[in-house]
Amino acid sequence: MASQRFRIEHDTLGELRVPADAAWGAQTQRAVENFPVSGRHMPRGFLRALALIKARAAEVNADLGLLHAREAAAIVAAALEVADGRHDAQFPVDVFQTGSGTSSNMNANEVIAHLAGRRLGRPVHPNDAVNCSQSSNDVIPSAIHVAAALALKQDLLPALRRLEASIRRKARSVGTQVKTGRTHLMDAMPLRFEQELSGWAQQVRHAVERIEATRPRLHALALGGTAVGTGINAPAQFARRVCAGLYRHTGIRFRPATNYFEALSSQDTAAELSGQLRVLACALMKIANDLRWMNSGPLAGLGEIELPALQPGSSIMPGKVNPVIPEAVCMVAAAVIGNDAAITVAAQSGNFQLNVMLPLVADRLLDSIGLLANASRLLADRAIDGFRIRADRIAQALQLNPVLITAANTVIGYEQGAAIAKRAWRENRPIVEVAAEETGLPLAELRRMLDPAQLTRGGVGGRRKRR
């Protein structure tokens, strides 16, 4: 550090030293020195969204006569470089910073101004030019929405559709296999694998629908509200025209918020989306835990399926293979649920005209989206696509399942059925044999009445026809 070279920069608080090779300026440097909290910087998706807003804003400001065309073009070119990730090292501000995200907004303003100035061969002002018609208070909430909308469109929703397709494809391939159902982790009436997997697929489908329902509110931007929602220093057409420019770049139809006072002071939409992500996390944890239970064993557990062997499972027990993908998915779900708790608290922190936990919202919301997208792809590609059914193990358990007697309730009554089930369990014998001895009903009739395959009709699109 003693040999590091510095230059002198200034802001309204005075002069300070900035690393000579840094593209940022005084306000960014103050933030670096003020917030040595986590070492965790603002997410790539957020920086991309922020830079896209700066680029489109410069175009509109030039069209409105607020910036010279050459200066605006230099700002656009610099901002798009930032959006593409070419200058991520120039964004050192910690997530845990000023609650409005002003430090990150000024970081972007300073870096883009510096890069644009190189192109022009003269200084570009970070506030007067790059931040023209904007405030941190409307840009940062807008960047959160743009970043989340892009992450949903490009990452999470395709991953969820891939997962649903994987589950449905597996259901078709193993559909006729009948297995023992379980409630309370105890043996219950039988069902087909396709029926069990259809429940998983529907959970994923509903998660997609819930997220899709939130997107219209996510596409409403605070941009144009500037400092407190009154739109001071922003031309009337500025926000609408920036949204149109964002559509050309992203394919998403953003629009100015209906009410800027809500858009600046609340993070209700982020909280809503986070809640939908939490529900998805619950669904993925249920699916992953079902896979873990079904794979348990191979001898002392359920042993219904065999997940792909991806890596050795123990540093001391040779030959052990663990359900590593479902375990990773469960940890992702736990992390997302924790992120939702943080976002819930942050969303409550709208004091009068501004929410003051915006960087935390941005970080945790994008973290959840990315984690869930990656986990969904892993679950599809490395667990569901490749698991194998252990049909012999399933048939053995099914034959001895005493709960099958439930199907005879209308003929022999609940009390006698319970007695038969208990005896069959006690003697470890097929339920059909014990029922024949206890009821005197013909064995052929009992086999038909208690046929597991016949007992699985219904549950997916109505009752199945007999064949």
Side-chain angles (χ1 to χ4, degrees):
M1 290 297 294
S3 63
Q4 185 172 356
R5 296 174 57 247
F6 294 91
R7 69 179 191 272
I8 301 300
E9 291 276 349
H10 77 276
D11 58 14
T12 57
L13 292 182
E15 294 183 344
L16 77 166
R17 297 195 311 169
V18 174
D21 58 352
W24 66 77
Q27 291 203 40
T28 301
Q29 186 63 33
R30 291 193 192 279
V32 170
E33 296 173 5
N34 285 337
F35 306 114
V37 180
S38 68
R40 181 168 181 163
H41 304 149
M42 296 300 289
R44 165 97 282 277
F46 173 83
L47 296 179
R48 176 190 179 196
L50 181 57
L52 289 177
I53 290 171
K54 297 295 179 182
R56 303 288 79 91
E59 288 179 340
V60 173
N61 282 324
D63 291 343
L64 295 174
L66 300 175
L67 289 177
H68 294 297
R70 285 187 65 241
E71 185 174 46
I75 291 172
V76 170
L80 291 179
E81 287 185 2
V82 170
D84 289 341
R86 293 171 59 181
H87 302 285
D88 284 359
Q90 300 297 329
F91 290 84
V93 178
D94 203 277
V95 166
F96 298 96
Q97 53 169 287
T98 175
S100 62
T102 298
S103 297
S104 285
N105 186 42
M106 282 308 304
N107 190 176
N109 290 335
E110 290 177 342
V111 170
I112 293 169
H114 183 88
L115 297 173
R118 285 183 190 170
R119 289 175 175 271
L120 289 177
R122 63 173 176 80
V124 173
H125 200 282
N127 295 80
D128 295 339
V130 182
N131 201 58
C132 183
S133 305
Q134 305 152 62
S135 164
S136 300
N137 298 354
D138 64 347
V139 167
I140 298 301
S142 298
I144 292 172
H145 278 216
V146 172
L150 284 169
L152 293 181
K153 177 185 177 182
Q154 298 174 351
D155 204 12
L156 180 57
L157 289 172
L160 290 178
R161 294 187 178 103
R162 179 168 164 180
L163 175 58
E164 181 188 358
S166 170
I167 295 171
R168 295 196 186 280
R169 188 166 55 247
K170 178 63 71 171
R172 289 192 297 271
S173 71
V174 300
T176 58
Q177 175 69 56
V178 179
K179 58 167 285 184
T180 300
R182 292 180 181 83
T183 58
H184 303 272
L185 295 181
M186 303 298 287
D187 297 347
M189 292 297 289
L191 76 166
R192 297 187 305 276
F193 259 93
E194 68 169 316
Q195 293 170 320
E196 186 164 52
L197 269 62
S198 75
W200 300 352
Q202 192 63 44
Q203 283 186 280
V204 177
R205 166 52 30 195
H206 279 157
V208 170
E209 291 172 357
R210 292 186 186 99
I211 292 168
E212 292 279 13
T214 300
R215 291 177 81 189
R217 287 173 290 285
L218 192 66
H219 295 167
L221 305 185
L223 201 65
T226 65
V228 295
T230 60
I232 187 73
N233 292 346
Q237 297 301 312
F238 173 77
R240 181 183 61 78
R241 294 174 71 167
V242 172
C243 288
L246 287 171
Y247 171 70
R248 291 194 302 272
H249 198 93
T250 65
I252 299 174
R253 294 190 181 278
F254 294 105
R255 58 181 173 80
T258 304
N259 187 296
Y260 285 135
F261 303 103
E262 180 212 24
L264 269 66
S265 65
S266 80
Q267 281 294 301
D268 293 351
T269 298
E272 176 189 0
L273 176 57
S274 179
Q276 307 296 21
L277 300 178
R278 185 195 68 241
V279 175
L280 170 58
C282 293
L284 293 186
M285 184 173 278
K286 185 263 194 283
I287 295 168
N289 276 328
D290 280 356
L291 286 167
R292 290 173 64 219
W293 276 104
M294 291 158 67
N295 182 74
S296 61
L299 299 178
L302 299 183
E304 292 184 343
I305 67 170
E306 185 178 295
L307 288 167
L310 299 178
Q311 62 187 60
S314 174
S315 61
I316 190 172
M317 294 176 281
K320 193 171 187 291
V321 178
N322 295 332
V324 293
I325 297 300
E327 289 172 351
V329 170
C330 286
M331 287 188 281
V332 163
V336 169
I337 292 167
N339 283 348
D340 180 64
I343 292 170
T344 299
V345 174
Q348 299 172 33
S349 300
N351 306 132
F352 298 106
Q353 277 68 61
L354 184 67
N355 182 282
V356 289
M357 289 197 184
L358 296 176
L360 179 64
V361 171
D363 180 62
R364 297 307 159 94
L365 190 62
L366 295 178
D367 186 54
S368 289
I369 294 172
L371 286 172
L372 289 168
N374 291 338
S376 296
R377 285 189 290 267
L378 284 177
L379 195 60
D381 298 348
R382 302 191 185 183
I384 290 170
D385 278 355
F387 79 71
R388 180 184 68 85
I389 287 179
R390 298 179 63 188
D392 54 340
R393 181 74 174 243
I394 292 170
Q396 181 183 24
L398 194 60
Q399 182 185 30
L400 295 174
N401 183 3
V403 183
L404 293 175
I405 198 64
T406 302
N409 276 358
T410 57
V411 177
I412 65 175
Y414 182 90
E415 296 290 342
Q416 188 175 19
I420 293 170
K422 290 178 181 178
R423 180 184 166 192
W425 167 249
R426 187 172 60 249
E427 297 177 4
N428 194 31
R429 295 172 59 199
I431 191 70
V432 172
E433 294 179 7
V434 176
E437 294 172 5
E438 293 284 339
T439 65
L441 293 171
L443 188 60
E445 181 180 349
L446 283 167
R447 289 190 189 281
R448 179 191 58 78
M449 188 184 303
L450 305 184
D451 178 11
Q454 292 299 318
L455 300 179
T456 65
R457 292 173 298 144
V460 181
R463 298 179 67 85
R464 292 174 62 91
K465 294 180 180 180
R466 292 177 181 266
R467 294 186 178 183

